[in-house]
Amino acid sequence: MGLFCWTGCFALCLQLVLGTALSHLPACNEGDFHYEYTECDSTGSRWRVAVPNLEKQCVGLPDPVKGKDCTFSCDSGQFLDIKTQSCTECAAGTYSLGTGIKFDEWDEMPSGFSNVATFMETTADFSGNRPDSCDNSSWIPRGNYIESNRDDCTVSLIYAVHLKKAGSVSFDYQYVDNNMFFEFFIQNDQCQETSSASEKWVKLSENSEWMHHSVALKSGTNILYWRTTGILLGSKVVKPVLIKNITIEGVAYTSECFPCKPGTYSDTPGSSFCKICPRNTYSDKGARECNKCKQDTQYSDEGASKCLDRPPCSNKDTFQIHTPCDNEGKTQVIYKWIEPKICREDMPDAMKLPASGTKEDCPPCNPGFYSNGTSTCSPCPFGTFSDGMQECKPCAAGTEPILGFEYKWWNVLPANMKTSCFNVGNSKCDGMNGWEVAGDHVQSGAGGSDNDYLLLNLHIPGFKPPTSGANVAEMGRITFVFETICSADCVLYFMVDVNRKTTSVVESWGGNREKQSYTHIIAKNATYMFTWAFQRTNQAQDDHSACYSDCTFSYMHENQSLIYNFNNLSSVGTLINGPSFTSKGTKYFHLFNISLCGNGGEKMAVCTDNITDVTTKEMEAEAEDVSNFVKTFVCQSTIIPSDSKGFRTALSSQSVSLADAFLGGTIERSLDGITIKPEMFPFPKKIPDINFFYKSSAATSSCEKGRATVISMRCDPSKPGQGDISVSRLCPAGTCDGCNFYFLWETAEACPFCTENDYQKIEGACKNGHQETHYVWNEPRICMRGVPLPDKRTAACESIDFWLKVGAGVGAFVAVLLVALTCYFWKKNQKLEYKYSKLIMTANSKECELPAPDSCAIMEGEDNDDDVVYSNKQSLLGKLKSLATKEKEHSFESVQLKSSRPQNI
């Protein structure tokens, strides 16, 4: 009871005090307050309450009234007037999505957006301090779009929205570099992801065009994340992600309309979008109509916020076309102004349009095509072939045509090719063609500005499966010849898209390039889109203060001139060495990026530093790179693996330059006080290494004379392409003293050009009046490219005369016969001597005395082979026998036998 009375007394006293304090305040007018809705309760209801404006004090605010249902919303082109709680049309010059909001102006970061830049989770750097070098990394507004970071920090663009009913979010983006990870995901107020895995990862843009991405949103709190991370372990600074036109559908209501941004207008009330100002007009923010530019002296593109002065006409404002071939095989060269024409011809230095109508001979058809009597060329039917100048012919029996495209003549663009123009800030270059046909070549066009990308696309639906036993590692190849002639900086990109999924840059060339050939191997049977993108910038080239190698070398070896060309190694080589461990157990690797020749300074090794500041230069928002990096011939970074649960894989830190000046290349192992010890890299067996010497002038406390680097190029035909880069076993870290670094680069590209001395010929036997000569490389082969191996050659030869062959055969037969006869009679002579000896032994025997024979006779049982022929005339056989028995005067021999027995027996 007492408590109740005290409480009631306190309330009464408080009311009296407040009434006394507010009695001197003025009554609230309509401009002193505004209306807001309270939060929705469990029944979906809310109240409209009056809230005093900032720094306004008054009394007599309107009483709260029940508001519209929480799910109520107005149609597009309308907004909810909270005072009357009714839907009202937007005024001219403004627009409304009704249940959505749109962000299409990026002159500054819109309200509600925030940036969060983080590293991967690591404990500390080598000094024991936690890394904190992403403070300056963020998304940057660029007017019509917002641009992501270019370094390897993880940067998130975040926006939170509360939906009373299910909705969606959509945006346009440009994502061209696969070295940048780009993901979009959604979390609820419990930090749980609500988007699916398929929606999280954003696809690369096709042909560098703007892409559209849309994701459904659930009712309740939705926290939107656009997150990017660059991977800078290679040689190039990554290209950023661009985002524009972020639209969120499903908000409860729109309390106001949005003014049209500059370059757009809304001429009628109740508009749900703003129209783009046409060409040669402009508008300011919230415009109801577009203002015209001065017709003769000014111009503007679509969606312009101001007019520009028309420049004098030049050759960049014209282009030429070739008319179809007529019946006489002639084509006309027609010159035209690039449309829309923005230049002036009435200025003193303006160029006039060249005269058109000059007739030229039509180029022949490309190989594989033939002229069918019309202005176009038709492909040869199946099983036939043509060089483009003759009719299609069938292949010989047992052969088949070699399938492929060969474009040598460019009178019209082939049917499977197209050209276009692309600008970073717009989806196209106002319909301009990017490339132009020019007879025996195709060339880049003028474009709309120096920052345009001029695109040439070639579509190949697939490749013929290889035959049995063929090299399945090479499904096909594309080869093209190009050159770049630039008055300022320029870049030519060659890109490949496989099955319309990912477009990646295969190779790029910067600055002026002499005519050269490039080949890309296709290893997969798929649908390919090959793209050539050319961009020139209006930035003048800086004067070079350093020396660069042209990647060529020659010297005399064993009375033979060896010529080297290392241009195929002009791209940056990478070596990751390790792992190693700090005293605290932190694992790290050493990353080396090597730019052998420097490419005239256009493509040099880049190492990024994320922990320590290696430069003090303040980088403006318009700079190409917002990260800390060193750019040199050879650089080193310390790579620390990540233990975080994110998708990032490594942290790059402590980047230093090991070589910022090229000293020269030589076969000697010492130059300018830098020496390669014999035990560092043992001498090769065949030809010496080519040693490239570099110097870094930056002195440190441990390297008072700066650092030095030697790259030994060793020929190894078994290692094609980039080959292998290694360090000496004596110095596993690449250096033994921290100042001098040594690398061994083994590759087939380090072999000299082949010459006639590198192969030998083998002549075969003469067969059927023909003799074949084969050519084989000397083993082991220590050369590449250069002189090709000659093809097999066949020459006529003279055979041996027939009668000479017959005479040789007869002579051989006679010789064999003489040898046989000699052996035969020598054997018979041995038998006669044996018989003679037997008779002598019998005559001297005491057990058997025989009458003294008057002549030798054949005993019974003996062979009657040796008949004695009594003839005074010797035949050929008799002469041979006499020769065998050494008889000179008679044809037979008589032997007088003596007996020991008495004569009368």
Side-chain angles (χ1 to χ4, degrees):
M1 184 72 177
L3 179 62
F4 176 80
C5 292
W6 171 248
T7 304
C9 180
F10 175 78
L12 178 62
C13 294
L14 179 62
Q15 183 178 6
L16 292 175
V17 173
L18 290 176
T20 304
L22 298 176
S23 61
H24 69 281
L25 294 177
C28 291
N29 297 319
E30 189 172 333
D32 295 334
F33 63 91
H34 63 278
Y35 292 104
E36 292 183 3
Y37 279 126
T38 63
E39 292 292 332
C40 296
D41 57 22
S42 59
T43 63
S45 301
R46 57 188 173 185
W47 292 81
R48 189 200 70 175
V49 296
V51 180
N53 294 332
L54 188 65
E55 297 182 354
K56 286 290 184 179
Q57 294 183 357
C58 61
V59 294
L61 291 172
D63 295 331
V65 297
K66 190 172 183 179
K68 289 286 187 180
D69 188 82
C70 289
T71 59
F72 174 82
S73 61
C74 297
D75 296 333
S76 59
Q78 297 178 340
F79 72 99
L80 178 63
D81 186 351
I82 197 171
K83 179 181 178 181
T84 62
Q85 296 198 76
S86 62
C87 294
T88 306
E89 285 188 343
C90 294
T94 64
Y95 74 98
S96 169
L97 300 178
T99 60
I101 52 178
K102 184 176 183 178
F103 302 96
D104 55 0
E105 287 188 70
W106 299 95
D107 297 319
E108 59 183 5
M109 190 69 71
S111 176
F113 282 88
S114 61
N115 270 295
V116 176
T118 59
F119 266 114
M120 68 181 78
E121 295 180 6
T122 56
T123 54
D125 60 12
F126 296 130
S127 62
N129 300 319
R130 292 188 60 85
D132 188 18
S133 62
C134 286
D135 295 339
N136 297 325
S137 185
S138 67
W139 287 77
I140 304 173
R142 296 293 192 186
N144 290 329
Y145 56 88
I146 186 171
E147 178 183 288
S148 74
N149 61 309
R150 297 172 182 248
D151 53 19
D152 58 353
C153 294
T154 297
V155 184
S156 298
L157 179 68
I158 306 174
Y159 184 81
V161 61
H162 187 80
L163 302 182
K164 299 300 181 182
K165 58 182 179 180
S168 65
V169 58
S170 63
F171 57 91
D172 298 327
Y173 70 93
Q174 185 193 105
Y175 174 31
V176 298
D177 195 340
N178 56 9
N179 289 320
M180 174 73 76
F181 288 147
F182 178 33
E183 56 180 340
F184 173 73
F185 59 94
I186 305 165
Q187 289 184 350
N188 57 20
D189 53 3
Q190 302 298 321
C191 295
Q192 296 173 340
E193 288 194 21
T194 60
S195 55
S196 63
S198 60
E199 297 171 336
K200 181 176 181 179
W201 297 103
V202 183
K203 296 181 180 180
L204 284 169
S205 301
E206 295 183 2
N207 301 324
S208 301
E209 296 180 354
W210 286 94
M211 306 286 286
H212 186 75
H213 190 75
S214 179
V215 179
L217 298 178
K218 298 179 180 180
S219 60
T221 301
N222 293 268
I223 305 175
L224 314 180
Y225 288 84
W226 292 266
R227 189 164 73 178
T228 56
T229 303
I231 302 299
L232 302 183
L233 299 181
S235 62
K236 300 178 182 178
V237 177
V238 296
K239 295 183 179 180
V241 175
L242 310 181
I243 295 177
K244 65 178 183 179
N245 297 335
I246 298 178
T247 303
I248 301 174
E249 296 280 358
V251 296
Y253 66 93
T254 300
S255 60
E256 61 179 349
C257 296
F258 302 100
C260 295
K261 68 176 184 178
T264 63
Y265 71 101
S266 171
D267 56 353
T268 57
S271 297
S272 59
F273 64 94
C274 296
K275 303 176 184 178
I276 298 177
C277 287
R279 192 180 306 280
N280 297 325
T281 63
Y282 72 98
S283 71
D284 296 323
K285 188 173 184 177
R288 299 185 178 187
E289 61 180 2
C290 300
N291 304 315
K292 293 184 178 180
C293 300
K294 296 179 181 179
Q295 183 175 1
D296 297 330
T297 60
Q298 292 182 330
Y299 77 99
S300 71
D301 295 328
E302 290 183 353
S305 60
K306 62 179 180 179
C307 295
L308 303 175
D309 293 333
R310 293 181 179 270
C313 293
S314 65
N315 56 358
K316 295 194 303 181
D317 299 302
T318 66
F319 69 98
Q320 65 178 16
I321 61 173
H322 291 74
T323 62
C325 296
D326 55 21
N327 296 331
E328 298 177 355
K330 300 290 186 180
T331 179
Q332 292 185 359
V333 181
I334 307 297
Y335 292 92
K336 293 184 177 182
W337 294 111
I338 293 177
E339 295 295 340
K341 182 183 177 184
I342 62 173
C343 64
R344 296 176 57 183
E345 299 182 63
D346 56 352
M347 299 184 72
D349 298 332
M351 188 191 81
K352 302 297 181 181
L353 187 67
S356 300
T358 303
K359 287 192 173 184
E360 298 178 353
D361 291 335
C362 288
C365 295
N366 283 309
F369 292 78
Y370 72 100
S371 177
N372 57 3
T374 64
S375 59
T376 60
C377 295
S378 301
C380 287
F382 180 78
T384 63
F385 71 99
S386 172
D387 60 359
M389 299 182 182
Q390 301 176 357
E391 295 294 327
C392 298
K393 300 178 181 179
C395 295
T399 64
E400 62 179 1
I402 301 176
L403 302 179
F405 291 107
E406 183 179 0
Y407 299 120
K408 298 171 59 177
W409 306 105
W410 300 87
N411 190 41
V412 294
L413 205 62
N416 60 342
M417 298 186 73
K418 67 176 183 178
T419 177
S420 59
C421 182
F422 168 76
N423 188 280
V424 172
N426 302 286
S427 60
K428 58 181 180 179
C429 305
D430 303 320
M432 298 180 181
N433 289 332
W435 293 68
E436 304 167 357
V437 294
D440 61 349
H441 66 280
V442 60
Q443 61 189 15
S444 59
S449 67
D450 285 340
N451 292 323
D452 293 339
Y453 287 92
L454 308 179
L455 305 178
L456 180 66
N457 306 109
L458 170 62
H459 178 258
I460 303 297
F463 294 85
K464 180 182 178 182
T467 57
S468 178
N471 182 16
V472 295
E474 180 178 333
M475 187 65 61
R477 60 175 56 196
I478 179 172
T479 301
F480 57 91
V481 178
F482 71 96
E483 67 175 335
T484 56
I485 303 174
C486 308
S487 58
D489 287 346
C490 64
V491 182
L492 174 64
Y493 298 92
F494 174 61
M495 299 178 289
V496 175
D497 173 76
V498 181
N499 290 334
R500 297 186 178 273
K501 292 183 178 179
T502 58
T503 300
S504 59
V505 177
V506 177
E507 189 57 82
S508 62
W509 302 268
N512 291 321
R513 293 284 178 151
E514 295 182 353
K515 185 176 292 186
Q516 56 188 281
S517 176
Y518 180 80
T519 298
H520 175 68
I521 303 299
I522 293 96
K524 178 182 179 181
N525 191 0
T527 299
Y528 283 81
M529 177 70 77
F530 301 102
T531 301
W532 293 264
F534 179 76
Q535 183 194 36
R536 60 178 181 271
T537 65
N538 52 11
Q539 301 174 354
Q541 293 181 345
D542 298 331
D543 294 332
H544 295 295
S545 59
C547 296
Y548 303 107
S549 169
D550 60 357
C551 258
T552 60
F553 185 80
S554 63
Y555 77 100
M556 295 297 297
H557 176 69
E558 297 180 355
N559 296 325
Q560 179 182 353
S561 178
L562 300 183
I563 300 175
Y564 297 79
N565 190 325
F566 301 101
N567 278 298
N568 287 344
L569 302 176
S570 58
S571 59
V572 175
T574 299
L575 170 65
I576 297 181
N577 193 9
S580 301
F581 297 88
T582 65
S583 58
K584 296 181 180 181
T586 302
K587 182 171 66 174
Y588 66 93
F589 297 83
H590 279 148
L591 168 73
F592 299 95
N593 283 330
I594 300 175
S595 178
L596 184 64
C597 306
N599 268 342
E602 294 298 329
K603 279 187 182 177
M604 303 179 72
V606 175
C607 291
T608 304
D609 185 11
N610 292 322
I611 295 180
T612 58
D613 293 331
V614 296
T615 61
T616 58
K617 180 180 178 181
E618 293 293 330
M619 296 187 178
E620 300 178 355
E622 292 79 13
E624 288 188 356
D625 178 49
V626 294
S627 62
N628 298 322
F629 66 94
V630 292
K631 188 176 183 181
T632 181
F633 285 100
V634 183
C635 59
Q636 177 191 18
S637 293
T638 301
I639 306 299
I640 305 175
S642 173
D643 296 328
S644 66
K645 298 180 181 179
F647 56 82
R648 304 193 58 197
T649 58
L651 169 66
S652 176
S653 63
Q654 298 182 349
S655 299
V656 294
S657 171
L658 305 182
D660 52 27
F662 175 68
L663 302 180
T666 177
I667 61 173
E668 303 296 333
R669 297 172 72 89
S670 178
L671 180 67
D672 198 21
I674 308 171
T675 303
I676 308 174
K677 298 180 180 179
E679 60 271 16
M680 187 74 68
F681 300 121
F683 290 94
K685 297 180 180 180
K686 293 297 180 181
I687 55 178
D689 298 333
I690 309 299
N691 301 308
F692 285 74
F693 290 82
Y694 304 86
K695 191 79 173 178
S696 177
S697 58
T700 63
S701 58
S702 57
C703 304
E704 297 180 355
K705 297 182 180 180
R707 297 182 176 91
T709 301
V710 182
I711 304 174
S712 298
M713 306 302 299
R714 178 165 295 180
C715 171
D716 190 341
S718 64
K719 298 179 180 180
Q722 290 288 321
D724 296 329
I725 304 176
S726 60
V727 296
S728 174
R729 294 182 178 179
L730 300 179
C731 305
T735 178
C736 295
D737 56 5
C739 300
N740 296 325
F741 292 78
Y742 301 90
F743 302 93
L744 178 63
W745 198 335
E746 299 173 287
T747 171
E749 297 296 336
C751 296
F753 281 175
C754 295
T755 65
E756 290 81 357
N757 297 325
D758 293 307
Y759 62 81
Q760 56 183 326
K761 65 178 181 179
I762 301 177
E763 295 181 351
C766 184
K767 297 180 180 180
N768 300 326
H770 295 86
Q771 184 182 33
E772 293 183 350
T773 302
H774 298 265
Y775 296 87
V776 294
W777 294 110
N778 297 334
E779 292 295 340
R781 181 183 175 185
I782 54 173
C783 67
M784 298 295 291
R785 295 178 291 172
V787 176
L789 191 67
D791 296 332
K792 179 185 66 176
R793 298 179 182 177
T794 303
C797 59
E798 296 182 359
S799 59
I800 303 175
D801 186 76
F802 173 75
W803 293 108
L804 183 59
K805 294 181 179 179
V806 173
V810 173
F813 174 76
V814 172
V816 172
L817 180 61
L818 290 176
V819 171
L821 291 175
T822 302
C823 294
Y824 174 78
F825 289 114
W826 177 80
K827 181 178 180 182
K828 292 300 181 181
N829 183 49
Q830 292 296 322
K831 289 183 178 182
L832 290 176
E833 290 181 358
Y834 167 73
K835 296 173 181 178
Y836 175 77
S837 301
K838 187 175 182 180
L839 291 175
I840 294 298
M841 294 174 62
T842 303
N844 295 330
S845 176
K846 295 181 179 181
E847 296 179 359
C848 181
E849 293 182 0
L850 297 175
D854 296 332
S855 63
C856 294
I858 298 176
M859 300 295 293
E860 183 180 356
E862 291 184 344
D863 294 335
N864 192 16
D865 297 353
D866 302 320
D867 295 335
V868 180
V869 179
Y870 297 92
S871 175
N872 292 327
K873 184 179 179 180
Q874 290 183 323
S875 63
L876 176 61
L877 186 58
K879 292 180 179 180
L880 291 175
K881 289 182 177 182
S882 64
L883 289 174
T885 57
K886 301 179 181 180
E887 176 60 45
K888 297 181 179 179
E889 296 179 356
H890 304 284
S891 58
F892 61 92
E893 181 180 1
S894 178
V895 180
Q896 181 70 37
L897 299 178
K898 294 183 179 181
S899 177
S900 59
R901 301 189 64 175
Q903 294 286 341
N904 57 353
I905 295 178

